[in-house]
Amino acid sequence: MATTTAYGITGFGGYVPRWRLERSAIAAAHQWMAPSLKGLAKGQRAFCGWDEDSITMGVEAARDALSERPRKGISRVTFASTTPPFADLQNATIVANALSLPRHIRTLDIGQSQRAGTSGLLAALSDGSAETLFVASDRPRGKPASVQEIGNGAGAAAFTLGTDGVVAELLGSASESAMFVDHFRAADGQYDYFWEERWIRDEGYMKLVPPVIAAALAEAGVGAKDIQHFILPSSFKGIATAVARATGILAESEADALTQSCGYTGAAHGLLMLAHVLERAQAGEHILLAGFGQGCDALVLRVTDAIAQARPRRGISGALADALKTDAYLRLAVNEGSIDPDWGMRAERPVKTALTEQYRSNEQISHFQAGHCRACGTLQFPQLPFCVNPACNAPSSQFDQVALADAKARVMTFTADWLSYHPAPPLYVGFVQFDNTARLMMEIVDVGPSGLEVGTPVNMVFRIKDMDRVRQYPRYFWKATPSQA
């Protein structure tokens, strides 16, 4: 149903992991038994670092969308993913907590559907009653030597929804539910099982999607040729082109599928493409977003004049440009869980998380807040019961909270440790000096082959600090990463 109030997308952003594997490296690794992969070996695919998952990607996408926007008005956070790290621990709450959002907000997870991203966004836009942060994040895995392994990617997109400064409004929509199984993954499975591509294309996309698009266009009162940006994500090449031709949408309206530098990111992919389109969309243009999977959703959006003031600080384009390219196929295989190498005895250390202390220290751990002593001005992290300044010793009740997540900082000292266990050796650690005078020992990630230098600017990123593989519990914290801005 079309919205009847001035409610819509007010901000947008995204995130793509920095690690990019040359597809030629994947094809070369399987040349001995799957030589046909060579025909798919163009470009790179994005993949998560060992300390990244759907939650950490979602947090970074949300930070990009929120940027300097006030966060106090947000009353709902929705997290859509088919690859969440938790089955019954609410992932949206972890995202909201990392963003230091108010505790009285409503949080919701959406999953178990290839259309989790588009259906969730449609539901949020159709509701139109609250300022919402909508995040879609996914990292679909592919079995080694499969077409999915070489074609998939990882990424997240985030949107703020509300009535203040709407940049894209919903004009019309349509949906259809159909028990058409193109691929599936069991609840405890790691990889999807795919049916034959021609069947999926001819009986699925080509018969189910066009009528839904026609219905959405009719409700919006927009002609097919009036669509400037057509988004239909698919892991199969040529699907969007064929659907556009069948529905009368101009060929030049087809949006960049982000194939060459990212790969297909599952339930999040349509929203990554939408965030990418909004980066360059002009006022008055129309966007058609469709999502496929056991039916179809179609949304018709109109870009408003406010788009000129709503560009994200990095966006999908910035994330795609900020790449660490590698030809090490085994790095992908290890990070995706395809192989489990022998890390040696040092990897056997216990990493059980003390959930009680995690809760008590939440403001420091998740919010990444330092204490500013009102008595002497010392900024300190971690925060102790008394000021660390020996000439002060004021109690922590006299501390003000200062967020470090977005504070500017530089590398003060560092070392590259090859002896300690680390899933992406070497382990870079060192002191990070913040411009606001805070100084602390931090792990530095995504360093790349060029290494580090003293004085290198760094950004803070929300990552997995440790993974308890016995209980399958990731412990999250903040790390530093070299700034490319």
Side-chain angles (χ1 to χ4, degrees):
M1 179 179 293
T3 55
T4 57
T5 60
Y7 184 88
I9 296 173
T10 58
F12 57 95
Y15 177 78
V16 176
R18 296 184 70 190
W19 286 107
R20 314 291 162 78
L21 178 63
E22 298 287 346
R23 290 195 175 97
S24 57
I26 302 176
H30 303 301
Q31 174 68 27
W32 65 279
M33 53 81 68
S36 61
L37 290 178
K38 186 176 181 180
L40 304 174
K42 295 181 180 179
Q44 306 93 33
R45 60 149 296 175
F47 66 100
C48 288
W50 80 267
D51 56 355
E52 294 184 287
D53 60 14
S54 294
I55 282 180
T56 65
M57 291 192 297
V59 169
E60 294 305 314
R63 292 176 70 197
D64 189 45
L66 291 168
S67 190
E68 304 300 324
R69 298 171 60 87
R71 304 183 183 186
K72 291 184 178 180
I74 295 176
S75 59
R76 294 183 184 178
V77 176
T78 300
F79 180 78
S81 179
T82 63
T83 57
F86 296 105
D88 63 353
L89 183 66
Q90 196 179 62
N91 303 274
T93 296
I94 302 174
V95 172
N97 192 44
L99 297 170
S100 300
L101 295 176
R103 293 185 65 172
H104 61 262
I105 62 173
R106 295 181 179 179
T107 50
L108 175 68
D109 284 351
I110 299 178
Q112 289 75 50
S113 170
Q114 300 165 41
R115 288 189 283 146
T118 50
S119 295
L121 180 62
L122 175 57
L125 285 170
S126 299
D127 182 279
S129 61
E131 189 167 346
T132 299
L133 172 64
F134 186 88
V135 181
S137 180
D138 232 359
R139 54 173 304 186
R141 293 175 173 87
K143 195 171 185 178
S146 68
V147 172
Q148 288 72 46
E149 182 189 45
I150 202 169
N152 283 348
F159 301 86
T160 55
L161 312 177
T163 58
D164 185 16
V166 172
V167 302
E169 58 181 345
L170 181 66
L171 299 182
S173 65
S175 297
E176 180 176 320
S177 176
M179 191 52 203
F180 180 89
V181 182
D182 55 338
H183 64 94
F184 63 90
R185 184 177 78 247
D188 59 350
Q190 185 175 8
Y191 306 115
D192 285 56
Y193 180 81
F194 277 76
W195 204 247
E196 196 267 328
E197 180 179 347
R198 186 175 59 176
W199 166 264
I200 296 171
R201 181 192 65 220
D202 295 348
E203 292 295 322
Y205 282 92
M206 297 309 299
K207 290 187 178 180
L208 295 176
V209 177
V212 178
I213 286 178
L217 290 172
E219 182 175 275
V222 175
K225 289 183 170 55
D226 295 322
I227 296 297
Q228 283 78 32
H229 306 280
F230 174 49
I231 302 169
L232 175 60
S234 175
S235 59
F236 299 123
K237 185 178 180 180
I239 293 291
T241 301
V243 171
R245 187 183 302 116
T247 54
I249 297 172
L250 299 177
E252 56 267 29
S253 300
E254 186 179 340
D256 183 355
L258 309 179
T259 302
Q260 292 302 307
S261 54
C262 178
Y264 180 68
T265 61
H269 201 68
L271 302 195
L272 260 77
M273 293 173 66
L274 175 60
H276 192 231
V277 162
L278 286 172
E279 290 180 23
R280 62 185 186 279
Q282 301 298 314
E285 291 184 338
H286 295 99
I287 301 170
L288 174 59
L289 167 64
F292 178 82
Q294 285 70 68
C296 179
D297 294 311
L299 297 75
V300 181
L301 302 165
R302 185 182 69 84
V303 181
T304 74
D305 294 336
I307 191 67
Q309 288 78 42
R311 311 299 183 185
R313 59 182 178 182
R314 251 188 19 140
I316 299 297
S317 295
L320 291 174
D322 184 14
L324 285 175
K325 297 180 181 179
T326 179
D327 59 1
Y329 168 73
L330 289 181
R331 183 186 288 269
L332 168 73
V334 170
N335 289 4
E336 295 291 277
S338 301
I339 62 173
D340 185 17
D342 182 2
W343 291 104
M345 293 178 64
R346 289 185 176 90
E348 297 174 3
R349 62 185 177 88
V351 291
K352 182 178 180 179
T353 300
L355 300 178
T356 47
E357 181 58 29
Q358 178 181 267
Y359 181 73
R360 292 190 182 107
S361 302
N362 179 62
E363 288 190 349
Q364 295 189 65
I365 296 173
S366 294
H367 296 183
F368 202 23
Q369 291 182 340
H372 179 262
C373 179
R374 292 194 296 271
C376 70
T378 300
L379 195 62
Q380 49 213 278
F381 185 97
Q383 300 179 49
L384 301 177
F386 297 92
C387 179
V388 296
N389 183 353
C392 178
N393 290 323
S396 59
S397 59
Q398 296 187 30
F399 291 179
D400 293 321
Q401 299 302 302
V402 177
L404 297 179
D406 294 315
K408 293 183 178 180
R410 294 179 180 274
V411 174
M412 183 179 180
T413 64
F414 71 91
T415 184
D417 184 356
W418 283 94
L419 295 179
S420 300
Y421 161 69
H422 191 254
L427 167 62
Y428 280 93
V429 293
F431 276 102
V432 171
Q433 178 67 58
F434 288 80
D435 289 0
N436 60 15
T437 74
R439 180 187 300 170
L440 59 144
M441 180 78 75
M442 297 192 71
E443 183 178 341
I444 307 170
V445 297
D446 296 349
V447 173
S450 59
L452 277 178
E453 293 183 4
V454 171
T456 298
V458 290
N459 296 325
M460 303 300 113
V461 289
F462 190 70
R463 295 290 179 90
I464 297 171
K465 177 63 177 174
D466 282 306
M467 182 67 190
D468 181 351
R469 301 194 182 280
V470 175
R471 285 156 285 270
Q472 294 298 302
Y473 186 82
R475 179 162 62 93
Y476 297 98
F477 188 54
W478 295 83
K479 301 179 181 181
T481 185
S483 172
Q484 302 298 314

